[in-house]
Amino acid sequence: MSPSASGSPSAGAAEVTGLDRLGVERSRYFPADPAARPAGWKPWSGTLEERPWSCALSPEVLVCHTLAGGLEAVRPSDGKPLWKTASPSPGERAVTGNRGVVLPGRGSSPLIQDDVVVTMEAGVVRGRSATDGTVRWERDTGGGGETDLYGDPLLGGKVAFFTLGGPGSVYVVDVRTGERLWEAELTSHDAPMAGYGLYRAEAFVEGRLLAVTDGGVVAFEARTGKRTPVTVPGGKSCSAMRVHGGQVYCDIEGQDTAVLDAVTLRLVPADQDPDARPPRARGVVAAGGREYGLEPNAAAGAVELTDLSAAGADRAPRAVGALPGPEADQAESAKGRPPLGAGDRRIDRSLRRQPDSVHPALARW
């Protein structure tokens, strides 16, 4: 699964650096599979001009949305700067709100499909050349520069999905042309909860987008938007979803995680072994072709990591850090920001956030 002579990834490489075999976008998870290293790669380190917040990686480009609101791209083989774009709101800085960090212009995390980088900035979705950053197409969502985004955008089947603020809707474009394919509201009556981002796109699997709506979980056909309700045990909804190994894991408040078949979206019968409980969907990260669960253990005062790809004794959780104490929470509150020690949300946000220097992702690639 090495890159071709032209520097473009083979089909196998694309699966580990962009979409996996089910079409799930994985380019924001580090490190990428070593087999997908770009031609001419060597260990390197470097620092962007602005502090990176959310990045995407392919054999052709590492592109980061910065805390200043712009984009910066470097060549992943040696760290050479390729291109950068200015913030849509010059002079503004990122702020922390009740939904996390909001970038100037409310910029989204980048997506990479083939040689196109897709982002949303100030209510406009743009597709740029991965090589030089040239805008190939753009599509105005109609919500204006203050359009909020809920969660990360998703990618699958050469289609990009953005969950927009306000009443809560999914805005869908073709990655190659920028054509608006469809838009669907996720709620018809629960506007307050929509304003908190409760209803949003959660996962892409087998050509369908899975989203939480005020009517429960719904599967949307990627290119047409055709809706199919998904039955969840107890008539409940999913507080978090994850796709793994041909199955969809659905966390249900107050219950065990339900497992759905990725193709049929029907419930997979629970294992007869009472100890064989499926892992939670929330707090899971992918790295190096494996998946790891991260959960706080309040009794032990530690953050525990579990290798979900392991079996038997190798799957036992191990402590990888300490939970922040009340002093840290008080210090964060005093700064006018919500405390970062609030369970899984802190863990997920801190793992997605990229450090000032970009070398941890590439030095191990």
Side-chain angles (χ1 to χ4, degrees):
M1 294 197 302
S2 59
S4 66
S6 66
S8 299
S10 65
E15 291 177 1
V16 296
T17 60
L19 306 180
D20 68 14
R21 70 179 185 81
L22 295 174
V24 180
E25 199 276 319
R26 293 293 185 193
S27 62
R28 284 193 304 277
Y29 294 85
F30 297 90
D33 192 307
R37 288 174 178 167
W41 175 88
K42 58 183 178 181
W44 62 271
S45 65
T47 301
L48 302 182
E49 292 185 23
E50 297 287 347
R51 185 176 181 182
W53 178 255
S54 182
C55 303
L57 176 67
S58 79
E60 282 78 25
V61 64
L62 168 67
V63 59
C64 297
H65 220 138
T66 71
L67 285 176
L71 297 171
E72 291 192 42
V74 301
R75 193 162 61 191
S77 59
D78 57 12
K80 178 184 177 181
L82 293 177
W83 51 269
K84 63 180 297 185
T85 67
S87 167
S89 303
E92 293 186 12
R93 305 298 294 183
V95 297
T96 303
N98 60 358
R99 290 192 301 273
V101 173
V102 179
L103 302 179
R106 283 144 169 85
S108 74
S109 299
L111 302 168
I112 301 176
Q113 172 73 65
D114 300 327
D115 62 344
V116 181
V117 175
V118 182
T119 58
M120 178 181 284
E121 307 135 36
V124 178
V125 183
R126 291 186 175 89
R128 291 184 170 87
S129 165
T131 303
D132 58 16
T134 302
V135 176
R136 294 181 175 175
W137 54 260
E138 60 181 30
R139 181 68 57 179
D140 193 332
T141 64
E146 299 300 309
T147 301
D148 280 322
L149 286 166
Y150 296 151
D152 284 321
L154 299 174
L155 179 66
K158 300 187 185 297
V159 177
F161 308 89
F162 298 84
T163 304
L164 306 184
S169 64
V170 177
Y171 189 87
V172 184
V173 299
D174 184 293
V175 170
R176 295 164 296 187
T177 65
E179 176 189 0
R180 175 187 174 278
L181 297 177
W182 53 274
E183 185 173 1
E185 291 190 358
L186 301 180
T187 178
S188 58
H189 63 273
D190 201 354
M193 290 297 99
Y196 282 99
L198 179 64
Y199 307 119
R200 64 188 186 189
E202 287 282 355
F204 179 88
V205 62
E206 294 288 350
R208 294 159 298 186
L209 176 76
L210 300 182
V212 174
T213 76
D214 60 0
V217 179
V218 173
F220 294 91
E221 292 292 334
R223 303 197 68 85
T224 67
K226 179 182 178 181
R227 304 169 65 114
T228 302
V230 178
T231 301
V232 175
K236 303 288 186 178
S237 190
C238 302
S239 60
M241 278 186 273
R242 178 172 66 92
V243 178
H244 178 73
Q247 297 179 325
V248 178
Y249 292 83
C250 164
D251 287 352
I252 303 176
E253 295 292 345
Q255 300 183 27
D256 287 343
T257 296
V259 181
L260 309 176
D261 183 274
V263 176
T264 65
L265 296 181
R266 294 175 181 169
L267 185 67
V268 175
D271 196 293
Q272 298 302 311
D273 181 357
D275 295 325
R277 300 172 62 183
R280 306 290 288 177
R282 186 180 300 279
V284 174
V285 293
R290 304 173 76 87
E291 287 193 326
Y292 300 87
L294 281 161
E295 290 195 43
N297 185 328
V303 177
E304 294 183 335
L305 178 131
T306 303
D307 185 347
L308 301 179
S309 305
D314 293 334
R315 195 166 179 169
R318 57 188 177 89
V320 294
L323 289 175
E327 298 82 3
D329 291 353
Q330 292 167 5
E332 291 295 334
S333 299
K335 296 176 183 177
R337 299 195 298 264
L340 295 182
D344 291 346
R345 290 187 178 181
R346 176 204 183 267
I347 295 169
D348 184 63
R349 183 162 62 239
S350 65
L351 285 168
R352 284 185 173 277
R353 176 177 172 178
Q354 304 302 320
D356 292 340
S357 175
V358 298
H359 67 83
L362 279 299
R364 294 192 298 269
W365 191 18

